[in-house]
Amino acid sequence: MAKKSKQAKYEKQIALVEQYADLRRELKAAGDYEGLSKLPIDSNPNRLKLRDNVDGRPRGYMRKFGMSRVNFRKYAHLGQIPGVHKASW
């Protein structure tokens, strides 16, 4: 489980990215790189580190499921992820 402060920072950064998304798109289309440089640094979506939706773990993240490998394995074994089941052959 990630620290609460890291999870809070992640949520704050997501809100910042969403807030400046339209303005960033307009400035980029106009080629105004000076205007882009004046925006908050964390409003750049490239700086966003994806985290597990369940417990905030930053590593081993799987985009398709929105969770880390640890939680994916846990919930897959419990049968709580639709369309995923343990392979056997």
Side-chain angles (χ1 to χ4, degrees):
M1 180 107 177
K3 292 172 26 177
K4 296 289 182 188
S5 61
K6 292 288 187 180
Q7 290 176 341
K9 181 181 177 186
Y10 177 67
E11 296 298 327
K12 183 179 174 184
Q13 192 173 1
I14 287 177
L16 203 60
V17 167
E18 291 173 357
Q19 178 183 350
Y20 286 97
D22 295 331
L23 179 59
R24 181 172 288 281
R25 198 175 305 113
E26 290 172 9
L27 290 173
K28 200 174 239 188
D32 185 10
Y33 297 107
E34 187 175 325
L36 277 171
S37 67
K38 292 181 181 176
L39 295 178
I41 293 173
D42 280 342
S43 68
N44 187 346
N46 291 338
R47 291 179 57 91
L48 188 64
K49 174 74 174 164
L50 297 176
R51 290 181 167 267
D52 187 341
N53 292 334
V54 179
D55 64 3
R57 189 176 204 280
R59 295 185 176 198
Y61 181 81
M62 292 191 282
R63 285 177 186 251
K64 185 174 182 179
F65 300 102
M67 62 179 67
S68 68
R69 60 180 177 78
V70 176
N71 285 320
F72 174 79
R73 181 178 165 89
K74 176 177 150 186
Y75 290 115
H77 281 297
L78 294 173
Q80 295 180 351
I81 303 176
V84 176
H85 54 88
K86 188 173 179 183
S88 62
W89 59 90

